[in-house]
Amino acid sequence: MSLLTVQLLRGLTGLTWRLPVQRAQIHSKPPWEEFGTMDVAVGLTSCFLCFLLPSGWVLSHLESYKKRE
Protein backbone atom coordinates (compact mmCIF):
# COMPACT_ATOMS: atom_id res chain seq x y z
CA MET A 1 0.00 0.00 0.00
CA SER A 2 1.10 3.49 -0.61
CA LEU A 3 1.88 5.89 2.18
CA LEU A 4 -1.13 8.03 1.26
CA THR A 5 -3.50 5.07 1.60
CA VAL A 6 -2.07 4.15 5.00
CA GLN A 7 -2.42 7.71 6.25
CA LEU A 8 -5.97 7.94 4.92
CA LEU A 9 -6.99 4.70 6.63
CA ARG A 10 -5.30 5.75 9.85
CA GLY A 11 -7.17 9.07 9.72
CA LEU A 12 -10.53 7.37 9.16
CA THR A 13 -10.05 4.93 12.04
CA GLY A 14 -9.00 7.81 14.26
CA LEU A 15 -12.33 9.54 13.62
CA THR A 16 -14.34 6.49 14.60
CA TRP A 17 -12.29 6.01 17.75
CA ARG A 18 -13.36 9.44 19.05
CA LEU A 19 -17.08 9.01 18.42
CA PRO A 20 -19.21 8.56 21.56
CA VAL A 21 -20.77 5.14 21.99
CA GLN A 22 -24.40 5.09 23.07
CA ARG A 23 -25.26 2.37 25.53
CA ALA A 24 -28.72 0.97 26.04
CA GLN A 25 -30.43 1.75 29.32
CA ILE A 26 -31.96 -1.64 30.08
CA HIS A 27 -33.35 -2.32 33.52
CA SER A 28 -35.08 -5.58 34.25
CA LYS A 29 -37.45 -6.40 37.07
CA PRO A 30 -38.84 -9.76 38.12
CA PRO A 31 -42.26 -10.65 36.68
CA TRP A 32 -45.33 -9.61 38.64
CA GLU A 33 -46.64 -13.17 38.62
CA GLU A 34 -45.00 -16.52 38.03
CA PHE A 35 -45.52 -18.34 34.74
CA GLY A 36 -47.77 -21.35 35.07
CA THR A 37 -47.32 -24.74 33.47
CA MET A 38 -49.89 -23.94 30.78
CA ASP A 39 -48.14 -20.66 29.89
CA VAL A 40 -44.83 -22.45 29.45
CA ALA A 41 -46.43 -25.25 27.42
CA VAL A 42 -48.16 -22.79 25.07
CA GLY A 43 -44.94 -20.79 24.63
CA LEU A 44 -42.78 -23.83 23.86
CA THR A 45 -45.40 -25.27 21.50
CA SER A 46 -45.71 -22.02 19.57
CA CYS A 47 -41.90 -21.74 19.28
CA PHE A 48 -41.76 -25.30 17.98
CA LEU A 49 -44.51 -24.70 15.44
CA CYS A 50 -43.15 -21.37 14.22
CA PHE A 51 -39.43 -22.18 13.96
CA LEU A 52 -38.63 -25.87 14.05
CA LEU A 53 -41.49 -27.29 12.00
CA PRO A 54 -40.91 -25.22 8.80
CA SER A 55 -37.14 -25.73 8.91
CA GLY A 56 -37.61 -29.46 9.44
CA TRP A 57 -39.98 -29.62 6.48
CA VAL A 58 -37.47 -27.84 4.24
CA LEU A 59 -34.63 -30.12 5.37
CA SER A 60 -36.71 -33.24 4.79
CA HIS A 61 -37.61 -32.10 1.24
CA LEU A 62 -34.11 -30.89 0.35
CA GLU A 63 -33.61 -33.55 -2.32
CA SER A 64 -36.72 -32.46 -4.20
CA TYR A 65 -35.45 -28.84 -4.16
CA LYS A 66 -32.14 -29.95 -5.75
CA LYS A 67 -33.89 -31.52 -8.76
CA ARG A 68 -34.46 -29.31 -11.77
CA GLU A 69 -37.83 -29.67 -13.41
Side-chain angles (χ1 to χ4, degrees):
M1 275 197 259
S2 69
L3 184 62
L4 182 61
T5 307
V6 171
Q7 288 178 347
L8 179 64
L9 289 175
R10 201 174 287 157
L12 289 175
T13 56
L15 290 175
T16 59
W17 181 73
R18 288 182 232 131
L19 291 175
V21 177
Q22 293 182 355
R23 297 181 184 244
Q25 300 293 327
I26 300 174
H27 300 285
S28 176
K29 295 181 182 177
W32 288 345
E33 58 187 45
E34 293 293 321
F35 292 122
T37 307
M38 193 62 172
D39 296 328
V40 173
V42 168
L44 289 175
T45 303
S46 64
C47 286
F48 174 76
L49 290 175
C50 290
F51 297 111
L52 297 178
L53 196 65
S55 59
W57 189 87
V58 168
L59 287 174
S60 66
H61 291 87
L62 200 57
E63 291 299 322
S64 64
Y65 288 136
K66 289 181 182 178
K67 295 178 184 175
R68 292 185 180 220
E69 294 183 31

